[in-house]
Amino acid sequence: MVFPELRSTENYAMKHPAITSDLSQLSSCFFIKLVQDQGKQIFVSYASERDNDMIFEIHPTLTRFYVGNNQFSFTSTNLYDDTWQHVCLTWENTQGVMKLYRDGQFAEQVTNHATKNFALKAGGFLVLGQEQDSIGGGFESSQTFHSRLASFNIWDKVLSESDIAAQYTNCSIPHGSVINWSVFKNLIHGNVAVEEP
């Protein structure tokens, strides 16, 4: 899926309702290619009870993930290198731990105790390519994603390190139990393009 370089609030893919049952843990895996360093980009947002229920935010020097408006910052991983990268994130609410994997290898772990016992509520809007400043909308062009994304999936469990390594080795991400990448090609808006391999 190609999000054009010319930033526009019209370019996105949206699924609603995106999650059918509350999530106390999750894994999200995808392939991403950031064509150049152009500051902050937000490529996924989920909003059910609030606009920042879940956000994936990429900066030139760090990567941020929000769960329930609580931030996890990963400083060891720079995703801006103009190549396809395999990325996985796992999170669980028992200890509030999130792990980041890059190209099949564990990269960094961050704990945010504010997410202990938190659950992402079902029924919300999941948007690829935009941040929601209101539930299902409130897009701003300055936060628009403008790169390439493939095989974005979410599961309702924490995937094992061996499962994640196998995805990278096989260059294939299995269908997620919560979010399945295949549905998004029929949910695009604006000038987002779907490229088949």
Side-chain angles (χ1 to χ4, degrees):
M1 194 173 285
V2 182
F3 292 81
E5 187 172 339
L6 183 61
R7 292 187 171 199
S8 168
T9 57
E10 301 299 315
N11 301 327
Y12 62 92
M14 179 188 292
K15 182 171 180 2
H16 174 260
I19 296 174
T20 56
S21 58
D22 296 355
L23 295 178
S24 59
Q25 56 183 340
L26 63 86
S27 297
S28 177
C29 298
F30 50 90
F31 291 98
I32 192 167
K33 183 180 182 182
L34 293 157
V35 290
Q36 53 190 318
D37 178 353
Q38 292 191 357
K40 180 174 78 170
Q41 295 193 62
I42 294 169
F43 85 84
V44 61
S45 63
Y46 178 73
S48 177
E49 294 188 316
R50 62 184 68 78
D51 58 335
N52 293 339
D53 276 323
M54 185 173 69
I55 293 176
F56 196 113
E57 185 177 285
I58 302 167
H59 297 252
T61 57
L62 56 87
T63 300
R64 286 190 177 133
F65 198 88
Y66 292 82
V67 174
N69 207 27
N70 298 295
Q71 175 182 296
F72 295 83
S73 288
F74 298 94
T75 56
S76 68
T77 304
N78 178 10
L79 299 178
Y80 279 99
D81 71 353
D82 201 27
T83 63
W84 279 105
Q85 298 177 70
H86 175 254
V87 180
C88 285
L89 286 146
T90 68
W91 166 78
E92 49 77 20
N93 75 352
T94 308
Q95 299 297 324
V97 173
M98 183 171 287
K99 295 180 180 180
L100 174 66
Y101 297 81
R102 179 181 179 185
D103 292 342
Q105 300 292 315
F106 172 75
E108 193 174 351
Q109 175 176 312
V110 177
T111 301
N112 186 327
H113 294 294
T115 65
K116 286 176 67 173
N117 302 317
F118 176 79
L120 280 173
K121 297 300 183 185
F125 292 79
L126 191 138
V127 178
L128 301 179
Q130 304 282 347
E131 183 194 9
Q132 302 171 68
D133 286 330
S134 60
I135 296 173
F139 304 150
E140 294 183 16
S141 59
S142 63
Q143 298 172 324
T144 300
F145 182 64
H146 49 99
S147 294
R148 294 171 179 257
L149 180 68
S151 300
F152 177 81
N153 288 271
I154 296 179
W155 294 261
D156 58 356
K157 63 182 180 179
V158 173
L159 295 179
S160 69
E161 291 196 14
S162 60
D163 285 342
I164 291 169
Q167 290 184 17
Y168 176 68
T169 302
N170 299 329
C171 198
S172 176
I173 297 178
H175 294 314
S177 59
V178 176
I179 297 293
N180 183 334
W181 170 249
S182 64
V183 305
F184 283 105
K185 64 184 178 182
N186 297 317
L187 300 173
I188 59 174
H189 298 263
N191 293 316
V192 179
V194 175
E195 289 186 353
E196 298 293 345

